[in-house]
Amino acid sequence: MRQIYFILTSFCISLSTFAQIAENPLLAKDAVAQQKWVDSVYNSMALAEKVGQLYMVQVMSNQDQATKEKIIATIREQHIGGLIYSLGGPVRQAKLDNELQSISKLPLLIGMDAEWGLSMRLDSTYAFPWNMTLGAIKDNKLIEQTGRHIGEHSKRLGVHFNFAPVVDINTNPLNPIIGNRSFGEDRDNVTDKALAFMNGMQSAGVLANAKHFPGHGDTDQDSHKTLPTISFNKTRIDSIELYPYKKLFKEGLSSVMVAHLKVPSLEPTGVPSSLSKNIVTNILKDSLGFQGLIFTDALTMKGAADFKEVGDIDLAAFKAGNDVMLMSEDVGIGVSKIMEAYNNGDITEARLEHSVKKILQAKYKVGLNHYKPIELNNLVQDLNRLKDAVLYEELIENAITIVKNDKSLLPLRDLETKTIAYVKMGDDDGSVFLDELKKYTKVHDIQGDSLVDLTAKLNDYNTVIVGFHRSNQTPWKPFKFTDTELTWLYEIAKTHKLILDVFVKPYALSDLTTIENIESIVVSYQNSVLAQQKSAQLIFGAIEAKGSLPVSVGPYFKSGKGFLNNVLERLSYTVPERVGMDSEKLKKIDAVAKKAIDGGMTPGIQLLVARKGKVIYNKSFGKHTYEDDDPVVFNDVYDVASLTKILVTLPLLMELEEKGVVTLDTKLSQILPDYKGSNKANITLKSMLSHYARLRPWEPFYVHTLDNETKLPSEKYYRTTQSEKFNIEVTDNLFLRSDYQDSIQKIIRDSDLLPKLQYRYSDFPYFILKKYIEEYYDQPLDVLVQEHFYQSLGANNTMYNPFHKISNQRIIPTEIDDYYRHQKIQGFVHDMGAAMQNGVGGHAGIFSNANDVAKIMQMYLQKGFYGGKRYFKAETLDKFNTCYFCANGNRRGVGFDKPQLGDDGPTCGCVSLNSFGHSGFTGTYAWADPEKEIVYVFLANRTYPKAVSNLLLKENIRTDIQRLIYEAIVE
């Protein structure tokens, strides 16, 4: 016994200096009034009522009526001090809590385990990331915000104590119960995170609880099932396990939960820590000087329940120094045992008063001296706020960690050189990750029934992304690779550049016996929807990598490791509030889009809004046609009509201008010898592309090829089967004479000029420039734009002639043609002049989706830079985005449309004069505003089934939506 006394005395002396610092964290600001209330209540209580205050009973809002009646009886008969809510739902819990509080003579102290939010126990509530995920974040202000948000949720639901944060230092990878619930293995990181979380939560008026004292992080057993042993000496425990508690005590931690652990160095008798006076009183209260509330862990857990008889556990826990007996096996027996001990003199009045008054102090501090029922209105909405989603996104972005990155493979650059496959491993869904990857470039989902089958299918790819997806349902779910998965992983790595992304806790990597052939490894921590989305964005450099490992894993990865990488300025995807926009105001766009569809203005719409390089609105409306049931979806492609001008011809010309091949003052006769001696010889590129060159608006070339009597395609010009002479495919099973393209160019060259020089929109410049650019490069326009722009931009949904490249199910029809091709136009360009050029026009012919168009517009907005590649110099963009003839009443830039100079024009009138864009005949529209950093894309097929009436334009649908976008800007 002397040896035991000496050990504990020495240990307590080492903590004695700390004991002088800690203050009572339960004191309210009006401490005098608080003490008066506490004394008054205590003095009015009978012994049974005082002892009843020591108990907190478990309640579930999904329980049956019989269980509920037992709880009511316990409240009435045992005068318990509080409730700890578990499973159920928020509305049910609020109603039940209001009822139970009305029954209790003294308002009940309400507690919950809400470590990552109320969703730890309740449906229909918000789930924040696990602590392990938060442990990877370097910015502790985000952790404080998390604590604050969880505190606000708890308070809204009438919860006064949240049994969080977990401050266990998880130094044992095999820990079955803590793991993801810990901030990590580094005591300083755990302490800093716990302190930030505590401060945030307690600032919301909810009392925090640090657990599991004296430290449950280095066990390989679950105290719910047995009594785990902590075998470290007192010096190690003092320097590691107790370290967070000391720091939190100094900063006002409200309460501590004592674990059920066997700690021989602190309690040589083998008594569980929760029942040990040496640990609870001598160390926690006396040596560490903690004056807050002390809770036992649940007394029903095997770690305690197997140690003593029912009721004796409660008595032992109270005599050890605990204030609150959590989840007693039998409150009635426990109360009787404690009262008996009190009456026998084993428990003094001072001891009872000490704990009961602390409980009453806590009740006063959380406002139970003026109890108010929980307000039910808008409860679920208040527990699932937009600002919670904003914070969650920031947390995930800051947590994802790159732990290996050989040759700086991440973020992925030079997409034109990459052929990328995605291989899913694990037993949970990875579809969100795959869909997000596909937003950046072409990524194929490859699966195999065997390793041989899989590797054969991967032969066509040089880069493989393996997503390891396991359940995100709880932090205790399995996290390991199977032996088969590891074998497949190693084999894939031998022959491909491999990116391994694990959507589970970092300990999954401990199974890797080698990482030699794996170029990049990303830890995304959880398999939530947002974690999958953000990890894909990180892989492509749309967001930074900021996280660092909170734990060491195997021989390869040490705690604190994490590669930082800069963004490549690709579009990322987020919520409007992240970029100073209002989600509720943006929702008004939905009504305008639906108005267009319901009003027969267009069968369907794709809509995208980006700001500051982040897509904040990306929705599809309606169907492909009025007749079918195919809804418009993200990767459907539209005929974008005249957007082709700024998506194809203009960027190719800008390249040539930047190289010095042409200037804006270059004349047509200088680049096309055919134009020497013509009436267009001295027209400059600047004037022509500003639509200020007296060129005719257009020519219905197809009319010249129709039979004069039948008005059908003439046999002189067309065949239904393809041949060398009839090689231009204008639509399915209809081929134009191969030499007619020369006729088109001759008609344009020989056409009369308009009599007056004024602004007049014309397609002719783009017919002319198509001829020049193709002759200069000796390559067709469709090949050039892919090689120069689309492949590296990752614009894999942007193409000419999609009929031959993708499924018709993804191609939106444009018209039922009854005047030229006499069939439904789907997959072939709607514009007749472009169709007569084999579908590849300089003015029309491109099909795309809103996401791809936004990439190109964002590249323009970023002055020619996107995805880590500079396409143009900033000054080149500025030259083309200049209105050279504004003084003459012409608003146009060089190729780009610009805002109106008066009341009427192509925009809402609310954009900056520096903005630019274009519109298309089929109902399309794309606009970029450098001053507000906004990209707006609207794609539609308003020409279906007939193109005769442009109701979208008449009803100002596109510009009304643009106005709503600008009205949604809040900063």
Side-chain angles (χ1 to χ4, degrees):
M1 283 299 294
R2 283 186 179 180
Q3 185 180 8
I4 294 171
Y5 177 79
F6 176 77
I7 291 172
L8 293 173
T9 301
S10 300
F11 181 65
C12 292
I13 289 173
S14 71
L15 302 174
S16 62
T17 54
F18 182 84
Q20 300 169 11
I21 301 172
E23 297 179 356
N24 185 356
L26 300 175
L27 290 180
K29 291 181 179 179
D30 54 342
V32 174
Q34 179 189 38
Q35 190 60 49
K36 184 177 179 180
W37 183 83
V38 167
D39 290 342
S40 173
V41 172
Y42 184 81
N43 293 334
S44 69
M45 299 170 78
L47 177 60
E49 292 174 320
K50 293 175 182 177
V51 175
Q53 289 299 299
L54 305 175
Y55 283 85
M56 186 172 272
V57 174
Q58 185 183 47
V59 182
M60 301 185 190
S61 56
N62 63 359
Q63 64 198 4
D64 57 28
Q65 185 63 29
T67 305
K68 176 183 171 181
E69 293 299 329
K70 289 180 181 178
I71 299 297
I72 291 173
T74 300
I75 293 171
R76 285 176 172 157
E77 296 169 11
Q78 305 302 334
H79 318 289
I80 58 173
L83 304 172
I84 174 171
Y85 279 97
S86 189
L87 303 178
V91 175
R92 286 172 290 166
Q93 179 169 311
K95 290 179 178 179
L96 178 61
D97 192 69
N98 286 343
E99 181 182 357
L100 298 181
Q101 287 281 23
S102 69
I103 292 168
S104 181
K105 179 180 177 181
L106 186 66
L108 298 159
L109 199 61
I110 305 301
M112 278 193 73
D113 283 312
E115 295 167 18
W116 55 87
L118 298 174
S119 67
M120 184 174 178
R121 294 290 184 253
L122 302 178
D123 61 38
S124 308
T125 55
Y126 205 85
F128 290 92
W130 321 135
N131 281 356
M132 184 71 75
T133 309
L134 300 182
I137 297 171
K138 295 174 182 175
D139 184 357
N140 287 331
K141 290 181 180 178
L142 291 172
I143 311 304
E144 184 171 349
Q145 289 180 43
T146 306
R148 173 83 187 188
H149 283 224
I150 291 174
E152 289 169 349
H153 290 176
S154 299
K155 188 171 185 177
R156 178 66 180 86
L157 193 56
V159 175
H160 311 117
F161 263 99
N162 180 8
F163 293 109
V166 172
V167 300
D168 297 320
I169 299 167
N170 205 84
T171 50
N172 189 338
L174 300 178
N175 194 319
I177 191 61
I178 303 302
N180 270 326
R181 299 165 67 197
S182 167
F183 291 115
E185 71 173 39
D186 179 78
R187 70 167 198 180
D188 296 301
N189 187 42
V190 170
T191 300
D192 292 344
K193 296 292 186 292
L195 179 59
F197 188 98
M198 177 197 83
N199 286 336
M201 190 162 63
Q202 293 194 160
S203 72
V206 172
L207 305 183
N209 177 278
K211 62 186 185 184
H212 305 84
F213 189 88
H216 207 322
D218 202 331
T219 66
D220 56 9
Q221 295 175 307
D222 181 358
S223 56
H224 292 80
K225 302 175 181 178
T226 188
L227 183 64
T229 298
I230 302 294
S231 57
F232 300 116
N233 62 40
K234 62 183 184 298
T235 302
R236 147 67 195 247
I237 293 173
D238 179 38
S239 63
I240 302 296
E241 277 73 16
L242 296 185
Y243 185 83
Y245 292 98
K246 299 176 191 177
K247 294 288 186 179
L248 268 60
F249 292 170
K250 290 181 183 179
E251 301 299 326
L253 175 69
S254 298
S255 69
V256 166
M257 178 181 287
V258 183
H260 308 308
L261 300 168
K262 184 178 181 181
V263 193
S265 63
L266 304 185
E267 178 51 77
T269 66
V271 171
S273 49
S274 54
L275 309 183
S276 167
K277 185 173 183 179
N278 287 328
I279 292 174
V280 180
T281 296
N282 296 344
I283 296 174
L284 178 56
K285 297 171 74 172
D286 295 344
S287 298
L288 294 177
F290 182 62
Q291 298 185 55
L293 272 180
I294 301 173
F295 291 80
T296 67
D297 206 340
L299 294 176
T300 53
M301 292 165 60
K302 293 295 184 180
D306 283 353
F307 202 80
K308 286 183 177 290
E309 295 298 323
V310 174
D312 289 339
I313 303 173
D314 304 26
L315 178 59
F318 184 66
K319 292 175 76 172
N322 294 285
D323 300 308
V324 181
M325 314 307 118
L326 193 64
M327 295 167 57
S328 168
E329 289 189 282
D330 192 309
V331 175
I333 295 175
V335 168
S336 297
K337 292 277 188 180
I338 293 174
M339 288 179 63
E340 181 181 355
Y342 177 90
N343 291 326
N344 291 337
D346 290 340
I347 295 175
T348 66
E349 169 62 25
R351 171 69 189 91
L352 181 62
E353 180 181 8
H354 173 77
S355 288
V356 176
K357 285 193 172 182
K358 282 167 70 177
I359 294 167
L360 294 176
Q361 282 180 328
K363 289 190 175 186
Y364 185 95
K365 188 167 185 176
V366 298
L368 286 177
N369 55 315
H370 297 297
Y371 165 75
K372 294 180 181 179
I374 302 164
E375 175 59 56
L376 298 179
N377 289 336
N378 298 316
L379 178 59
V380 174
Q381 295 92 317
D382 292 344
L383 300 179
N384 295 274
R385 306 165 302 183
L386 180 59
K387 69 177 185 177
D388 299 317
V390 172
L391 175 59
Y392 187 100
E393 184 173 301
E394 287 188 82
L395 294 170
I396 294 297
E397 282 186 5
N398 278 269
I400 299 173
T401 308
I402 298 176
V403 298
K404 188 182 183 194
N405 197 23
D406 286 357
K407 298 180 181 179
S408 299
L409 177 60
L410 296 179
L412 289 175
R413 302 169 184 266
D414 305 319
L415 298 182
E416 70 276 15
T417 68
K418 304 287 192 300
T419 50
I420 304 174
Y422 161 75
V423 175
K424 189 190 88 70
M425 293 186 181
D427 56 4
D428 205 21
D429 182 53
S431 60
V432 173
F433 182 53
L434 176 60
D435 288 344
E436 199 75 7
L437 292 171
K438 288 180 177 179
K439 290 179 181 178
Y440 291 96
T441 192
K442 188 176 294 183
V443 179
H444 290 144
D445 181 13
I446 303 299
Q447 302 175 22
D449 295 328
S450 66
L451 179 56
V452 172
D453 181 31
L454 180 65
T455 52
K457 291 178 179 178
L458 290 175
N459 283 336
D460 294 332
Y461 302 89
N462 58 30
T463 305
V464 177
I465 300 171
V466 172
F468 181 56
H469 304 272
R470 303 219 61 174
S471 175
N472 194 62
Q473 188 175 2
T474 77
W476 302 284
K477 286 287 186 176
F479 62 91
K480 288 180 170 290
F481 287 91
T482 66
D483 291 341
T484 298
E485 287 171 336
L486 290 172
T487 300
W488 289 25
L489 187 68
Y490 300 142
E491 289 301 313
I492 295 169
K494 288 178 182 178
T495 54
H496 296 80
K497 289 183 179 178
L498 179 61
I499 300 165
L500 172 62
D501 199 334
V502 294
F503 293 89
V504 70
K505 61 186 175 183
Y507 291 130
L509 299 176
S510 62
D511 290 333
L512 299 179
T513 58
T514 177
I515 60 170
E516 181 179 357
N517 294 322
I518 303 175
E519 280 78 10
S520 297
I521 301 176
V522 181
V523 179
S524 296
Y525 297 97
Q526 299 184 222
N527 201 37
S528 66
V529 167
L530 205 59
Q532 293 188 47
Q533 291 172 336
K534 289 299 171 182
S535 199
Q537 292 174 33
L538 179 144
I539 285 172
F540 284 99
I543 62 172
E544 298 175 75
K546 301 177 183 178
S548 59
L549 272 182
V551 293
S552 297
V553 185
Y556 306 113
F557 311 106
K558 299 302 179 185
S559 174
K561 184 173 185 177
F563 290 90
L564 306 181
N565 72 313
N566 297 322
V567 296
L568 299 181
E569 295 192 41
R570 288 192 177 107
L571 286 170
S572 63
Y573 302 80
T574 186
V575 292
E577 281 66 20
R578 294 284 303 278
V579 293
M581 302 283 281
D582 188 312
S583 294
E584 289 302 314
K585 290 181 179 179
L586 280 175
K587 286 180 181 178
K588 295 178 182 178
I589 293 174
D590 296 16
V592 180
K594 290 173 182 175
K595 171 187 172 182
I597 291 167
D598 294 343
M601 304 177 204
T602 180
I605 296 170
Q606 277 184 0
L607 255 171
L608 184 147
V609 180
R611 190 178 190 212
K612 298 182 180 180
K614 301 178 187 294
V615 176
I616 55 170
Y617 184 101
N618 193 5
K619 294 185 180 181
S620 300
F621 299 87
K623 299 176 181 178
H624 287 201
T625 69
Y626 293 114
E627 302 87 40
D628 67 32
D629 293 324
D630 296 327
V632 178
V633 295
F634 172 84
N635 65 345
D636 287 338
V637 297
Y638 280 85
D639 180 337
V640 302
S642 284
L643 293 191
T644 301
K645 295 178 172 72
I646 64 170
L647 300 180
V648 179
T649 308
L650 195 61
L652 288 169
L653 184 66
M654 289 167 71
E655 272 191 328
L656 292 174
E657 193 279 338
E658 189 167 291
K659 292 175 182 177
V661 177
V662 297
T663 71
L664 295 186
D665 294 321
T666 295
K667 298 176 182 179
L668 288 184
S669 59
Q670 293 175 294
I671 59 174
L672 290 169
D674 287 354
Y675 278 82
K676 290 179 179 180
S678 75
N679 60 1
K680 302 174 183 65
N682 292 320
I683 292 176
T684 65
L685 296 179
K686 179 195 298 180
S687 61
M688 181 173 76
L689 291 173
S690 298
H691 301 282
Y692 199 63
R694 296 172 57 200
L695 295 175
R696 286 166 48 192
W698 77 301
E699 174 71 25
F701 301 106
Y702 78 97
V703 172
H704 307 310
T705 65
L706 300 181
D707 184 278
N708 289 331
E709 294 184 4
T710 65
K711 303 303 179 185
L712 295 173
S714 169
E715 288 190 6
K716 177 181 177 181
Y717 295 103
Y718 295 93
R719 293 289 186 275
T720 56
T721 57
Q722 194 171 23
S723 65
E724 184 176 350
K725 187 176 180 180
F726 293 87
N727 197 36
I728 298 174
E729 189 176 25
V730 296
T731 192
D732 196 21
N733 298 321
L734 187 63
F735 300 90
L736 175 65
R737 275 174 49 169
S738 305
D739 60 0
Y740 198 80
Q741 293 196 60
D742 296 334
S743 300
I744 291 174
Q745 290 294 332
K746 185 177 185 303
I747 290 170
I748 294 172
R749 186 193 65 204
D750 296 342
S751 64
D752 293 333
L753 295 176
L754 297 175
K756 182 179 179 181
L757 178 61
Q758 61 183 357
Y759 164 59
R760 193 69 183 272
Y761 181 80
S762 174
D763 281 342
F764 281 7
Y766 295 90
F767 284 83
I768 296 169
L769 286 173
K770 167 183 159 65
K771 175 179 172 63
Y772 164 66
I773 293 170
E774 290 186 337
E775 287 183 355
Y776 177 83
Y777 284 107
D778 193 25
Q779 280 188 298
L781 211 60
D782 54 341
V783 173
L784 287 168
V785 75
Q786 287 289 344
E787 291 181 351
H788 288 227
F789 294 97
Y790 295 167
Q791 290 175 5
S792 56
L793 283 167
N796 53 293
N797 290 301
T798 306
M799 67 199 78
Y800 285 102
N801 292 316
F803 180 82
H804 297 291
K805 299 169 184 174
I806 62 175
S807 167
N808 243 26
Q809 294 179 346
R810 289 183 51 206
I811 305 171
I812 307 294
T814 49
E815 189 176 21
I816 298 176
D817 181 339
D818 60 359
Y819 52 87
Y820 173 34
R821 288 166 280 188
H822 297 275
Q823 59 182 269
K824 182 167 77 170
I825 306 303
Q826 183 177 17
F828 294 91
V829 61
H830 175 266
D831 183 273
M832 295 73 74
M836 298 173 79
Q837 299 176 81
N838 224 15
V840 182
H843 69 296
I846 280 292
F847 287 71
S848 189
N849 69 344
N851 192 61
D852 272 12
V853 174
K855 292 176 186 179
I856 300 167
M857 297 303 291
Q858 187 67 30
M859 181 268 287
Y860 286 143
L861 198 66
Q862 293 169 181
K863 296 296 182 75
F865 186 86
Y866 191 87
K869 180 176 180 178
R870 179 155 293 285
Y871 293 88
F872 314 113
K873 296 175 183 177
E875 51 265 35
T876 303
L877 213 296
D878 291 340
K879 286 180 189 177
F880 283 77
N881 184 31
T882 296
C883 178
Y884 291 98
F885 303 102
C886 277
N888 306 102
N890 180 355
R891 70 174 187 263
R892 291 273 178 168
V894 181
F896 293 115
D897 200 356
K898 299 283 289 175
Q900 57 263 43
L901 300 176
D903 294 332
D904 297 326
T907 76
C908 57
C910 52
V911 299
S912 75
L913 292 176
N914 200 28
S915 67
F916 57 90
H918 215 284
S919 58
F921 185 77
T922 52
T924 57
Y925 186 90
W927 208 267
D929 189 340
E931 291 187 16
K932 295 298 184 181
E933 299 180 81
I934 285 177
V935 167
Y936 163 42
V937 180
F938 180 105
L939 302 185
N941 56 332
R942 68 98 191 162
T943 50
Y944 191 90
K946 299 299 295 178
V948 290
S949 180
N950 193 345
L951 293 176
L952 281 179
L953 182 63
K954 291 178 181 177
E955 295 294 328
N956 300 314
I957 294 298
R958 296 171 297 188
T959 53
D960 280 354
I961 288 174
Q962 191 174 50
R963 175 180 52 78
L964 291 173
I965 293 168
Y966 279 74
E967 289 176 357
I969 297 173
V970 293
E971 63 180 42

